[in-house]
Amino acid sequence: MSHTCPAITTSPNGLSLSRIVAGMWRMNEWGMSPQQRLTLIEQCLELGVTSFDHADIYGGYEVEATFGAALAIKPSLRDQMQLVSKCGIKLISPARPDHTIQHYDTSASHIIASAEHSLRQLGTDHLDLLLIHRPDPLMDFDEIAGAFARLRQDGKVRHFGVSNFSRHQFESLNRRIALATNQVEFSPLCLAPMFDETFDGLQDLGVAPMIWSPLAGGRLFSSDEPAAQRVRAKIAEVADALQQPFSSVVFAWIMQLPSRPIGLTGSSRIAAIAEAVQATQFSLSRTQWFEILRAARGHEVA
């Protein structure tokens, strides 16, 4: 079954992303040649998966360059895609010998330098979306907004957002400069954003969250934790009733939320990405949706 992934506008003044985003976090672990990476990119674009998620730190600061080398084989593809990256974490890494402790840095100088480095690594003149990767106890909302405004003025980044921010943190920065998204962890095994006001706050503002680890890092398939076993059995039951793949049901369950979540994949297999896209084509009944939630929580709603 072949479907084309629809696009979604993330916020009132935000950008258009594909409803399923190809996550590149593990690209350097996939054992692909530059040509094979290019083929995967082309296959994603053919599916309508036009958005690719990066961060400066991925692959020990090397994934962006790996992706950029593949894109350099066929530079015309750049105009067909949206490139997302993140900054604000400093890792201890051979690529950064001056880092002596893993820490956060959301200073204007680091945000701007990181964005410019991502541009060089990816071989592009602009990022479509730049996110602050994690909340920083030393972050100054005014300083971050100023850095974002400068990057936009210089034409280097078109839209901005955050990742892993609380509702209050998001709204505090959003008051200073419009944010396009908050990328958070969510899955049937990680329900916090549904109950800690993250999704409610974003829905109120008309901002679509991006979702990382929607399949719980594979734990939905393999974990022997009681919650995982309950959820796995229920999702399999729903998948059988709907005659849809297991992972498609998970993505559909997530995307049914009214905050309009955008799911990230983390797979090198185009078949797995296609199953995520397939989830944009059907919905669960309200009963099926709540059956999965009940399995995830281990109790009825009150």
Side-chain angles (χ1 to χ4, degrees):
M1 193 180 299
S2 178
H3 299 291
T4 299
C5 187
I8 185 170
T9 302
T10 65
S11 64
N13 296 301
L15 75 164
S16 179
L17 296 176
S18 50
R19 192 72 194 271
I20 299 297
V21 173
M24 297 291 105
W25 173 39
R26 296 187 183 276
M27 187 177 233
N28 283 8
E29 302 171 22
W30 294 342
M32 293 180 167
S33 67
Q35 183 58 53
Q36 288 171 321
R37 295 182 191 114
L38 176 64
T39 298
L40 179 65
I41 292 168
E42 290 180 315
Q43 289 172 326
C44 285
L45 293 173
E46 288 168 9
L47 279 174
V49 177
T50 60
S51 307
F52 296 86
D53 182 75
H54 291 272
D56 56 351
I57 62 172
Y58 286 170
Y61 294 93
E62 293 177 354
V63 163
E64 288 179 325
T66 299
F67 187 94
L71 191 55
I73 301 171
K74 196 170 180 179
S76 62
L77 295 180
R78 174 64 183 96
D79 293 337
Q80 302 176 38
M81 65 176 61
Q82 301 83 44
L83 292 178
V84 181
S85 194
K86 310 178 200 72
C87 67
I89 300 176
K90 286 185 171 180
L91 297 183
I92 296 175
S93 167
R96 297 290 186 275
D98 56 321
H99 294 179
T100 58
I101 182 174
Q102 183 167 316
H103 65 291
Y104 302 134
D105 189 345
T106 54
S107 64
S109 60
H110 179 72
I111 291 170
I112 291 167
S114 179
E116 291 174 343
H117 183 72
S118 291
L119 294 179
R120 291 192 297 271
Q121 297 290 90
L122 291 163
T124 186
D125 64 352
H126 74 279
L127 293 172
D128 297 281
L129 178 61
L130 177 66
L131 310 179
I132 299 296
H133 205 152
R134 292 270 178 186
D136 171 11
L138 297 179
M139 64 184 169
D140 181 312
F141 294 126
D142 292 325
E143 184 174 4
I144 293 171
F148 282 176
R150 179 176 157 190
L151 286 167
R152 176 177 283 149
Q153 181 181 346
D154 293 344
K156 294 173 180 175
V157 183
R158 295 185 176 173
H159 298 273
F160 300 92
V162 295
S163 185
N164 305 299
F165 271 45
S166 71
R167 177 180 182 174
H168 186 74
Q169 290 165 338
F170 182 93
E171 292 177 353
S172 296
L173 183 55
N174 187 60
R175 276 192 289 273
R176 291 160 170 85
I177 189 164
L179 300 177
T181 191
N182 185 9
Q183 186 178 128
V184 298
E185 181 181 7
F186 180 71
S187 75
L189 297 183
C190 179
L191 300 171
M194 192 188 295
F195 299 109
D196 66 7
E197 301 185 358
T198 299
F199 288 159
D200 295 334
L202 293 171
Q203 183 191 165
D204 184 46
L205 295 170
V207 175
M210 296 175 74
I211 304 301
W212 63 268
S213 203
L215 300 174
R219 288 188 297 128
L220 278 175
F221 301 101
S222 59
S223 173
D224 58 3
E225 303 164 31
Q229 292 179 334
R230 289 194 309 268
V231 172
R232 183 158 56 242
K234 180 52 67 176
I235 292 170
E237 181 184 311
V238 173
D240 185 57
L242 294 173
Q243 295 189 297
Q244 297 287 350
F246 182 98
S247 65
S248 301
V249 170
V250 180
F251 276 94
W253 184 81
I254 290 169
M255 290 190 290
Q256 208 152 323
L257 288 165
S259 55
R260 306 176 299 131
I262 299 166
L264 271 70
T265 66
S267 179
S268 64
R269 296 186 307 107
I270 196 65
I273 298 169
E275 286 189 355
V277 171
Q278 193 167 324
T280 65
Q281 307 298 312
F282 68 93
S283 297
L284 284 62
S285 70
R286 187 170 285 247
T287 298
Q288 289 169 329
W289 194 93
F290 273 98
E291 285 176 343
I292 292 174
L293 179 64
R294 179 178 63 182
R297 299 177 83 190
H299 61 79
E300 301 281 2
V301 298

